């Protein structure tokens, strides 16, 4: 399936999705001045996940769009994390800005250091650290999504979650998988990283349908009962 043009187009599409994925959630948080139903660990885990994912994509020399993706994820995740601290934990704005800047600088420094270390190791034929980066990325991305599952379980609803965000993120994972499949060298580990998150997002979507459908059915039954009592 070696098709560099298709790989670049799909990789770019994935980068675009990851560029805008969290924007609907960020806008929703801003409009409501609330992050109810969300938790800051979701977003800080994604920001941290951007480190091993970025290092892996860069060291493996995947197409440019896939190399840019993780850094966009880090930035948007930190914005959403800052909103959770501001709206949810009631941190003052200067404290939020300072903490976000410090965390962002730390993440950038760690990513740069790991990249140069792993590139050196790769030149010397040491490949296992790259696999470790991919595994860590998959785990941290999964932790972020699994926190959604916990919040949904606690609230028995999907309140606070932007389904436009979920759809865009899942779409980004899907086209990123396709981009790797069309690359000259199929990176199985990279496919697994994106597939883990994709499967978890599909689960979130199914839970959303379940809870919203249940609310609709309950309302409909309630109206029918009221109609029966009035007749």
């Amino acid at each position: 399936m070696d098709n560099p043009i298709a790989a670049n187009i799909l990789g770019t599409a994935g980068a675009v999705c990851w560029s805008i994925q969290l924007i609907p959630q960020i806008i929703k948080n801003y409009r409501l001045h609330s992050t109810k139903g969300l938790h800051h660990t979701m977003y800080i885990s994604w920001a941290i996940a951007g480190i091993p994912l970025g290092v892996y994509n860069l060291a493996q020399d995947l197409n440019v769009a896939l190399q840019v993706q993780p850094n966009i994820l880090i930035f948007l995740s930190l914005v959403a994390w800052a909103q959770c601290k501001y709206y949810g934990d009631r941190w003052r704005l200067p404290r939020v800005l300072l903490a976000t800047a410090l965390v962002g600088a730390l993440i950038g420094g760690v990513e740069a250091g790991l990249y140069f270390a792993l590139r050196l190791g790769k030149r010397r034929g040491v490949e296992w650290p790259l696999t470790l980066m991919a595994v860590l990325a998959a785990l941290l991305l999964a932790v972020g999504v699994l926190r959604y599952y916990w919040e949904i379980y606690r609230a028995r609803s999907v309140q606070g979650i932007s389904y436009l965000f979920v759809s865009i993120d899942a779409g980004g994972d899907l086209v990123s998988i396709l981009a790797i499949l069309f690359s000259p060298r199929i990176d199985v580990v990279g496919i697994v990283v994106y597939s883990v998150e994709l499967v978890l997002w599909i689960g979130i979507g199914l839970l959303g349908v379940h809870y919203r459908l249940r609310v609709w059915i309950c309302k409909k039954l309630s109206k029918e009962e009221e109609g029966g009592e009035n007749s």
Side-chain angles (χ1 to χ4, degrees):
M1 296 178 70
D2 182 2
N3 190 327
I5 295 175
N8 284 326
I9 291 173
L10 290 165
T12 302
V16 169
C17 287
W18 278 39
S19 298
I20 63 174
Q21 59 171 336
L22 268 170
I23 292 175
Q25 185 69 65
I26 291 169
I27 291 173
K28 184 174 182 178
N29 296 343
Y30 174 75
R31 286 178 175 172
L32 296 176
H33 295 287
S34 171
T35 53
K36 187 176 181 181
L38 309 176
H39 197 275
H40 63 87
T41 55
M42 303 173 187
Y43 303 112
I44 199 65
S45 66
W46 286 337
I48 296 172
I51 298 173
L53 183 59
V55 169
Y56 182 84
N57 288 1
L58 284 166
Q60 290 292 74
D61 200 26
L62 300 182
N63 68 68
V64 176
L66 292 178
Q67 292 178 22
V68 172
Q69 270 188 3
N71 297 294
I72 295 170
L73 173 67
I74 291 170
F75 174 75
L76 292 177
S77 296
L78 286 177
V79 172
W81 176 78
Q83 287 183 316
C84 287
K85 306 308 287 183
Y86 184 70
Y87 295 125
D89 294 344
R90 302 297 180 186
W91 282 16
R92 292 182 179 276
L93 185 59
R95 184 184 179 187
V96 171
L97 294 176
L98 178 60
T100 305
L102 289 174
V103 173
L106 179 62
I107 286 174
V110 171
E111 183 179 358
L114 283 173
Y115 167 69
F116 288 113
L118 266 65
R119 286 288 290 185
L120 179 61
K122 188 178 180 181
R123 290 194 197 103
R124 295 177 178 177
V126 182
E127 296 285 342
W128 68 263
L130 283 172
T131 304
L132 177 62
M133 290 297 103
V135 171
L136 285 174
L139 286 175
L140 289 166
L141 288 170
V143 166
V145 184
L146 286 171
R147 184 70 206 203
Y148 272 112
Y149 280 86
W150 175 245
E151 295 298 327
I152 290 170
Y153 171 76
R154 281 177 43 181
R156 298 296 194 276
S157 74
V158 290
Q159 182 181 4
I161 298 175
S162 167
Y163 272 84
L164 181 57
F165 153 58
V166 172
S167 301
I168 293 172
D169 200 337
D173 290 325
L174 178 59
V175 294
S176 296
I177 292 168
L178 293 174
I180 295 173
L181 288 173
F182 281 106
S183 296
R185 179 178 57 83
I186 295 179
D187 191 319
V188 177
V189 178
I191 291 173
V192 171
V193 172
Y194 290 109
S195 297
V196 168
E197 196 182 38
L198 176 60
V199 170
L200 290 174
W201 281 134
I202 291 172
I204 293 286
L206 293 174
L207 284 173
V209 171
H210 166 72
Y211 281 113
R212 292 187 177 186
L213 186 61
R214 187 177 70 173
V215 170
W216 180 80
I217 291 172
C218 288
K219 286 182 178 179
K220 189 174 181 63
L221 290 174
S222 178
K223 286 181 180 179
E224 289 178 356
E225 287 177 1
E226 289 176 2
E229 290 175 358
N230 294 331
S231 59

